[in-house]
Amino acid sequence: MLRVLGSQRTLCDRLSRREMLRAGGLGLAGLSLADLLRYEDAARASETPRPSSFGRAKSLILIHLYGSPCQLEWVDLKPHAPIEIRGELGGIPSTLPGCDVCELYPSMAKVMDRTTVIRSMSHPYPIHGVAYALTGVPTIDVAMEISPRDPKHWPFVGSVIEYVDSLRPRDGRPFDVPQNIALPFPFSSKRVGEVPRAGPYAAFLGEQYNPVWTNYVGTANRSTRMELGALRFNDPEPYVGLEPGSYFVVPSATSLQPGITLDRLDGRRTLLEQIDAGRATLERAVGDARLDRYQQMAFSLLQSDKLRNALDLRLEPERTREEYGHTLFGQSCLAARRLVEAGSRVVTVMWDEFGLAGHAWDTHYDQYRRLKEALAPGFDTAWHGLILDLERRGLLDDTLVVCTSEHGRTPQINSVAGRDHWSRVYATLVAGGGVKQGFVLGASDKHGGEVADRPVSPKDLLATIYHLLGIDHRLLIHDGLGRPLPLVDGEVVHEMLA
């Protein structure tokens, strides 16, 4: 990944203090190779051997449905509850006995036997806490939710995986695809109405470990309507439909990406510029081998045909593209499979807001129309296509697929035919990469409003992801103040492991 400077304070020889500390392995944030090796040696020497599931997954496809689907109209139906709770939609049997799904997901129903369904996700923060769901941060509030640069934030799970992996000895060859890449466009950048949201950022690990974001190239061909106060949206939306022929690109390092102002851009430099400006000093500090490794990495990502080809969905047979569906979410899932095939370690697919804030799966009002027209069809086709395609190509056993969100939605339907935020219980889907096939974990009560059995926190889910990717979640990293912190304060959910 191309590195960019954080603090621009420099020493008299023009090498920044942060760069000097990082070059020597003594940075205030993170941990050094020596720290990692000592920890792993201690773990190997302990009396408790690691289970066979540790490190089973080679890669992760992380799907986040921003706004949050309702558990009762997805995979935790309550057909015997009153109508104001169960809603107007019925259920259909799936290939997983005991797990009927909403009638809007007939294709998903066919692959539920490949899936672990967690019906007892729970936490105390019913806000759009993407950061709480996808990082180790112990608490969240609205002020943090809309402040991506708040120093209290912890690093995104993909950033942690890339960071820890980068410390392990390799053969010296650079990666020619990003190890932490996200689709379809920079988070929270395609809608109006609110400030940017926190979540998928590297926090105190440094901006160089932020995901590499793509942008899509394509034309929406179906419209959807939405209201947000006085604002109206009734325009073509790519999540509802795309013209065939769409694809993805990683914007050039020289172009101004969405959300990057000229002031911010002025304070950033590419890795190659850092190397050129401080080459003599860096050579003395870290030696030619380390210098060459980073220089090659920069060139590799800029010039990689492998990355460009993985993102160019026009190289994929049209039949496969149709299996995922010609929507932005469907084609993002297809690109995720291609990136994993090309060697990416973590690929994140965000079903994000588009047009207006409060879009995506944030169904406070008119939920059933939005589910039928704009949400369920795209998800149903894409999830089915992704699971079967990974399986067909022999990738599912090595690829962990996690589909989650910030919270669930209220059991009670509100006065405007929607459901509001609800974090006491919600659902998550997990497949491949070392988890059980055809398994239901936990349960909600008769109205789908409280956990009745085996609560699972987002931190437990993250601990399980780290475990399956071969990283001990108890590993200590250091924040910007030098304080030692565990990657996440959660426990591995062993019941769901194969």
Side-chain angles (χ1 to χ4, degrees):
M1 180 184 294
L2 298 180
R3 292 188 57 196
V4 294
L5 286 172
S7 169
Q8 293 296 313
R9 293 188 299 272
T10 58
L11 303 177
C12 59
D13 57 3
R14 300 189 61 79
L15 181 67
S16 73
R17 181 174 181 274
R18 176 173 295 184
E19 230 14 54
M20 178 66 80
L21 291 172
R22 193 179 303 282
L26 300 172
L28 291 176
L31 71 159
S32 69
L33 174 59
D35 294 330
L36 179 64
L37 294 178
R38 277 195 296 270
Y39 188 89
E40 293 184 339
D41 285 345
R44 282 191 291 269
S46 67
E47 295 181 359
T48 305
R50 294 196 191 278
S52 59
S53 55
F54 185 78
R56 276 281 304 275
K58 294 180 181 177
S59 55
L60 167 68
I61 295 177
L62 175 61
I63 296 170
H64 189 90
L65 305 180
Y66 178 84
S68 306
C70 178
Q71 61 279 10
L72 287 86
E73 277 105 8
W74 198 27
V75 292
D76 193 11
L77 282 62
K78 302 296 177 183
H80 304 298
I83 184 66
E84 65 269 18
I85 290 174
R86 73 173 185 268
E88 67 181 52
L89 297 172
I92 56 175
S94 80
T95 53
L96 173 52
C99 185
D100 288 358
V101 302
C102 175
E103 64 183 74
L104 298 180
Y105 301 97
S107 296
M108 181 182 76
K110 299 174 183 177
V111 294
M112 293 301 290
D113 57 341
R114 282 86 156 174
T115 307
T116 279
V117 179
I118 306 175
R119 284 177 166 170
S120 54
M121 298 288 296
S122 182
H123 65 81
Y125 302 106
I127 63 174
H128 290 302
V130 177
Y132 189 80
L134 302 182
T135 81
V137 69
T139 61
I140 192 75
D141 55 35
V142 173
M144 290 176 65
E145 174 196 332
I146 58 176
S147 302
R149 293 179 176 272
D150 190 312
K152 296 189 293 294
H153 282 303
W154 287 32
F156 168 59
V157 57
S159 300
V160 171
I161 293 168
E162 182 187 20
Y163 176 75
V164 174
D165 285 350
S166 74
L167 295 174
R168 294 190 169 118
R170 295 184 68 249
D171 57 11
R173 291 181 301 170
F175 293 110
D176 49 10
V177 292
Q179 295 301 285
N180 176 24
I181 187 168
L183 303 102
F185 47 74
F187 181 53
S188 193
S189 68
K190 298 291 185 181
R191 59 98 175 96
V192 297
E194 289 188 19
V195 296
R197 302 188 188 276
Y201 304 102
F204 56 73
L205 289 181
E207 290 186 357
Q208 65 270 32
Y209 292 104
N210 283 343
V212 172
W213 289 94
T214 69
N215 263 320
Y216 76 97
V217 179
T219 303
N221 60 6
R222 293 185 62 193
S223 296
T224 188
R225 55 189 171 87
M226 184 182 171
E227 300 178 3
L228 180 67
L231 299 174
R232 299 289 185 273
F233 181 86
N234 189 16
D235 296 316
E237 186 197 323
Y239 284 108
V240 180
L242 277 176
E243 292 286 350
S246 61
Y247 60 99
F248 296 89
V249 296
V250 172
S252 166
T254 60
S255 66
L256 196 60
Q257 297 185 29
I260 304 296
T261 65
L262 290 175
D263 286 342
R264 285 182 60 198
L265 186 66
D266 187 57
R268 299 174 66 174
R269 300 290 185 270
T270 64
L271 170 64
L272 189 56
E273 288 170 341
Q274 293 176 57
I275 291 172
D276 290 341
R279 183 178 182 96
T281 308
L282 282 170
E283 284 177 348
R284 292 194 297 271
V286 300
D288 287 333
R290 185 174 175 90
L291 172 70
D292 290 344
R293 173 177 177 268
Y294 285 120
Q295 191 173 39
Q296 290 166 9
M297 190 183 304
F299 276 121
S300 181
L301 289 184
L302 284 173
Q303 300 178 345
S304 172
D305 286 336
K306 200 170 186 180
L307 173 60
R308 197 159 34 245
N309 290 341
L311 293 173
D312 191 350
L313 303 185
R314 295 169 297 183
L315 302 176
E316 194 73 33
E318 180 58 27
R319 179 178 177 182
T320 304
R321 300 193 69 170
E322 290 177 353
E323 288 177 349
Y324 283 80
H326 281 293
T327 65
L328 187 56
F329 179 69
Q331 298 302 293
S332 296
C333 288
L334 173 55
R337 186 269 289 169
R338 290 174 62 86
L339 285 162
V340 163
E341 232 173 4
S344 290
R345 173 82 152 152
V346 180
V347 184
T348 302
V349 175
M350 302 290 292
W351 189 315
D352 203 354
E353 297 166 297
F354 188 91
L356 295 178
H359 211 316
W361 293 81
D362 197 19
T363 53
H364 288 283
Y365 78 98
D366 203 7
Q367 174 183 257
Y368 295 105
R369 178 189 64 80
R370 293 180 64 192
L371 282 172
K372 294 172 184 177
E373 294 180 5
L375 299 171
F379 181 86
D380 183 51
T381 302
W383 179 261
H384 175 266
L386 176 63
I387 298 302
L388 285 188
D389 197 20
L390 288 170
E391 184 179 69
R392 183 169 60 235
R393 293 168 180 274
L395 295 172
L396 189 58
D397 286 345
D398 293 331
T399 305
L400 177 64
V401 185
V402 177
C403 179
T404 191
S405 193
E406 309 96 87
H407 49 64
R409 307 207 74 84
T410 51
Q412 187 83 25
I413 298 173
N414 63 27
S415 61
V416 287
R419 298 185 191 261
D420 300 315
H421 298 179
W422 191 259
S423 63
R424 295 182 189 176
V425 64
Y426 61 106
T428 285
L429 304 181
V430 190
V435 302
K436 291 178 179 176
Q437 293 192 7
F439 181 68
V440 176
L441 176 68
S444 63
D445 66 8
K446 64 180 182 179
H447 289 166
E450 303 287 345
V451 173
D453 179 58
R454 185 53 171 101
V456 177
S457 78
K459 308 310 180 187
D460 297 332
L461 180 63
L462 290 176
T464 307
I465 290 172
Y466 286 130
H467 173 88
L468 289 167
L469 271 290
I471 297 173
D472 194 320
H473 71 284
R474 298 164 296 185
L475 181 67
L476 296 179
I477 56 175
H478 296 83
D479 68 6
L481 299 176
R483 297 173 298 186
L485 305 170
L487 296 184
V488 63
D489 184 16
E491 297 297 329
V492 176
V493 185
H494 290 283
E495 302 99 303
M496 63 186 282
L497 303 181

